[in-house]
């Protein structure tokens, strides 16, 4: 071998691939936990009677707590061990799922979902960083990450089916109990199959940075929700400004710390910065759309949970097929080209959604095209983020990737969901039938479930007119949502294509600096 040539990376064997199968368990669970909740919303809304803002908090507090805690958990895993964080998180997630299943109020369910989110924050970055260290060969790592991402899609496919069956025969809380046996599998097998990885010589965890990373997204989103619910006012604007100021202070603090919670130097790598930022947009579009389509199937079209789940199955199956196809194409085409082309193709999805009017055909087609088009970004973008970072920062890099997706998902539910709620309320205010009491009018303008519940209690034509108006208002909000998606997808496609001009170089395309810490090795605990 010539001087200066690098030794080919060691290829993974049977144990590594078996460990990958175990690491897919939490990925399946995280996605399933989201999809079954969407199906359960109409049922739990009737039992717990949440307000519009409470309903949004139930759906997205999980995502925000995940996003706020991911960087902390990823960095903590780099320091004390990713397998340890994974197992502790699995125990906590199981306990929080039981609490959510037996919640007897909207407030209790919000708290349980928040605890679930903090626990879930340990699962994805720990899994992804272990994969980063198990699979040193770039080609094997791309395949491993694609398979791991397919676990998310598998959870999306199983969620509607499992959730539909459970909701058909049991109460809404049963959908959260799915986590219990799933997590037991992980707890029993991971100690034997998943090696421990951690980085030596790291500094102490900065608790101030941890608090700031939680306050920033929560304050901004709370302000956005209040703006959508009550209009422009000093309190919501104050929370948004508070979140932005804390976020700016967080960035300044990370630049001064010797051992920052978030290594901002990673964002100087184009592949890392563009891919991580793009994951936020992808999460926004997918989660925001899934929330609306799930409710449309049940509340507008009147499908039972199982039937609604079956109608959502083609989206998950199509995304899985595209992920396998794209993994093979990545050997011949630049990932940036595939990701950009996929985002442009995904525009066909919201075009279809604008045609939705009283049937499931265009709704399913639109969801399928949107999800399939963004699948290359999910599969290949994650690999670019993880591969761009040095091995000793795998946990932090994985956390940034997952933070982007989870934060985007929570933002999608909060912002796009709030916009849809505001559009729905505006349409209702202009089209409500005459003869409604002030109390019914207020409830009907709040949420679609509340409007349908009020309509069921009314006799004759007035109840039917209220239900028809509420369903038309929700359909109108779906159309507005679709029009918002189109320019976002085109911008994502154009931004991603800049990686092709800059090159997709990351850590593995350049020699490691002499002062960089050695890559973490398995630790025998």
């Amino acid at each position: 071998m010539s001087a200066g040539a690098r030794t080919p990376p060691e290829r993974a064997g049977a144990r590594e691939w078996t460990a990958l199968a175990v690491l897919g368990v939490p990925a399946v669970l995280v996605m399933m936990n989201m999809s079954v909740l969407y199906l359960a919303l109409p049922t739990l809304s009737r039992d717990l009677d949440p307000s519009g803002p409470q309903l949004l908090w139930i759906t997205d507090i999980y995502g925000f707590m995940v996003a706020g805690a991911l960087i902390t958990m990823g960095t903590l895993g780099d320091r004390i061990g990713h397998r340890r964080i994974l197992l502790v998180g699995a125990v906590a997630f199981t306990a929080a799922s039981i609490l959510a299943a037996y919640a007897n109020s909207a407030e209790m369910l919000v708290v349980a979902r928040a605890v679930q989110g903090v626990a879930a924050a340990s699962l994805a970055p720990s899994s992804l960083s272990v994969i980063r260290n198990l699979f040193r060969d770039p080609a094997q790592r791309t395949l491993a990450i694609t398979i791991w991402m397919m676990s998310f899609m598998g959870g999306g496919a199983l969620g509607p089916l499992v959730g539909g069956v459970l909701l058909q025969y049991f109460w809404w809380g049963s959908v959260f109990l799915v986590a219990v046996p799933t997590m037991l599998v992980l707890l029993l097998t991971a100690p034997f199959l998943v090696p421990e990885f951690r980085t030596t010589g790291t500094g102490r965890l900065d608790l101030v940075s941890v608090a700031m990373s939680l306050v920033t997204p929560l304050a901004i989103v709370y302000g956005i929700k209040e703006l959508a619910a009550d209009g422009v006012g000093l309190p919501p604007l104050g929370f948004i400004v508070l979140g932005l100021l804390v976020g700016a202070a967080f960035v300044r603090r990370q630049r001064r710390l010797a051992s920052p919670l978030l290594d901002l130097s990673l964002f100087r790598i184009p592949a890392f910065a563009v891919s991580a930022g793009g994951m936020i947009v992808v999460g926004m579009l997918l989660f925001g759309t899934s929330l609306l389509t799930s409710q449309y199937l049940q509340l507008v079209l009147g499908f039972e949970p199982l039937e609604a789940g079956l109608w959502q199955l083609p989206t998950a199956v199509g995304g899985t097929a595209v992920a396998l196809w794209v993994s093979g194409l990545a050997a011949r085409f630049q990932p940036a080209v595939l990701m950009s082309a996929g985002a442009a193709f995904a525009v066909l999805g919201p075009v279809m959604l604008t045609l939705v009017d009283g049937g499931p055909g265009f709704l399913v087609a639109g969801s399928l095209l949107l999800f399939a088009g963004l699948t290359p970004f999910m599969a290949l973008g994650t690999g670019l983020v993880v591969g761009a970072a040095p091995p000793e920062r795998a946990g932090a890099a994985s956390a940034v990737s997952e933070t982007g997706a989870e934060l985007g998902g929570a933002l999608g539910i909060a912002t796009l969901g709030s916009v849809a709620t505001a559009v729905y309320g505006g349409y209702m205010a202009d089209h409500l039938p005459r003869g409604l009491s002030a109390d019914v009018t207020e409830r009907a303008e709040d949420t679609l479930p509340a409007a349908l519940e009020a309509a069921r209690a009314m006799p004759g034509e007035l109840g039917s007119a209220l239900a028809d108006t509420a369903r038309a208002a929700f359909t109108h909000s779906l159309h507005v949502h679709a029009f918002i998606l189109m320019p976002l997808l085109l911008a994502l496609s154009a931004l991603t294509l800049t990686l092709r001009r800059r090159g997709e170089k990351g850590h593995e395309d350049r020699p490691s600096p002499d002062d960089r810490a050695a890559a973490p090795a398995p630790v025998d605990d």
Side-chain angles (χ1 to χ4, degrees), residues 257-321:
L257 291 174
S259 299
L261 182 67
L262 176 61
D263 185 359
L264 297 178
S265 65
L266 293 173
F267 288 92
R268 299 194 190 107
I269 305 170
F272 185 96
V274 174
S275 299
M279 293 297 283
I280 296 178
V281 178
V282 170
M284 281 185 63
L285 305 186
L286 291 182
F287 281 86
T289 303
S290 295
L291 174 66
L292 296 179
T293 56
S294 295
Q295 293 186 79
Y296 189 92
L297 287 169
Q298 293 185 75
L299 298 176
V300 176
L301 299 183
F303 291 164
E304 292 297 323
L306 180 57
E307 187 178 5
L310 289 172
W311 276 106
Q312 294 178 72
L313 186 59
T315 299
V317 173
T320 303

Side-chain angles (χ1 to χ4, degrees), residues 70-441:
L70 269 170
I71 294 175
T72 299
M73 293 301 179
T75 304
L76 195 60
D78 284 335
R79 299 179 183 191
I80 70 173
H82 291 290
R83 186 181 66 185
R84 181 173 294 144
I85 292 293
L86 184 69
L87 295 177
V88 171
V91 172
F93 193 93
T94 302
S97 298
I98 295 173
L99 180 64
Y102 294 98
N104 55 19
S105 68
E107 293 83 1
M108 184 177 177
L109 183 56
V110 170
V111 171
R113 292 284 292 164
V115 176
Q116 261 191 327
V118 174
S122 66
L123 302 178
S126 295
S127 300
L128 195 52
S129 59
V130 169
I131 292 172
R132 169 67 174 83
N133 286 288
L134 282 177
F135 296 89
R136 300 303 180 100
D137 179 76
Q140 283 191 319
R141 184 187 306 125
T142 298
L143 178 59
I145 292 176
T146 300
I147 293 173
W148 185 74
M149 291 300 298
M150 286 173 57
S151 299
F152 279 97
M153 298 173 196
L158 288 174
L161 294 179
V162 174
V165 171
L166 290 174
L167 292 169
Q168 195 82 13
Y169 299 104
F170 302 100
W171 90 114
W172 59 263
S174 62
V175 300
F176 294 109
L177 297 180
V178 175
V180 177
T182 310
M183 281 301 181
L184 285 177
V185 173
L186 176 66
L187 291 169
L188 291 174
T189 56
F192 303 100
L193 292 173
V194 178
E196 183 65 282
F197 288 98
R198 64 171 173 259
T199 304
T200 58
T202 55
R204 293 191 308 172
L205 185 68
D206 182 46
L207 296 180
V208 175
S209 296
V210 171
M212 296 171 85
S213 70
L214 278 170
V215 170
T216 298
L218 289 176
I220 293 174
V221 171
Y222 181 78
I224 292 173
K225 287 178 180 295
E226 292 302 306
L227 279 176
D230 303 324
V232 177
L234 187 59
L237 291 176
F239 275 102
I240 293 174
V241 172
L242 173 64
L244 294 174
L245 291 176
V246 174
F250 174 81
V251 171
R252 289 197 300 270
R253 186 175 182 84
Q254 302 316 295
R255 288 172 175 167
R256 294 198 309 265
L257 291 174
S259 299
L261 182 67
L262 176 61
D263 185 359
L264 297 178
S265 65
L266 293 173
F267 288 92
R268 299 194 190 107
I269 305 170
F272 185 96
V274 174
S275 299
M279 293 297 283
I280 296 178
V281 178
V282 170
M284 281 185 63
L285 305 186
L286 291 182
F287 281 86
T289 303
S290 295
L291 174 66
L292 296 179
T293 56
S294 295
Q295 293 186 79
Y296 189 92
L297 287 169
Q298 293 185 75
L299 298 176
V300 176
L301 299 183
F303 291 164
E304 292 297 323
L306 180 57
E307 187 178 5
L310 289 172
W311 276 106
Q312 294 178 72
L313 186 59
T315 299
V317 173
T320 303
V322 171
L324 284 172
W325 181 51
V326 167
S327 178
L329 291 178
R332 291 185 290 159
F333 300 96
Q334 284 185 310
V337 173
L338 297 173
M339 292 156 60
S340 178
F345 174 81
V347 175
L348 295 175
V351 170
M352 289 288 182
L353 292 179
T354 63
L355 303 176
V356 171
D357 187 20
F362 285 120
L363 185 80
V364 173
S367 299
L368 174 60
L369 292 171
L370 176 65
F371 196 86
L374 293 178
T375 293
F377 209 109
M378 291 187 292
L380 302 178
T382 301
L384 285 179
V385 171
V386 176
E392 69 275 8
R393 298 296 293 162
S398 304
V400 170
S401 173
E402 291 305 307
T403 297
E406 293 291 346
L407 180 61
L411 281 172
I413 295 172
T415 57
L416 297 177
S418 295
V419 169
T421 299
V423 171
Y424 167 86
Y427 186 98
M428 290 291 284
D430 294 335
H431 296 83
L432 276 175
R434 295 181 179 180
L436 300 177
S437 66
D439 178 63
V440 170
T441 297

Side-chain angles (χ1 to χ4, degrees), residues 474-488:
F474 194 88
T475 302
H476 177 62
S477 70
L478 178 66
H479 293 164
V480 173
H481 170 84
F483 281 113
I484 293 173
L485 261 57
M486 295 178 195
L488 292 177

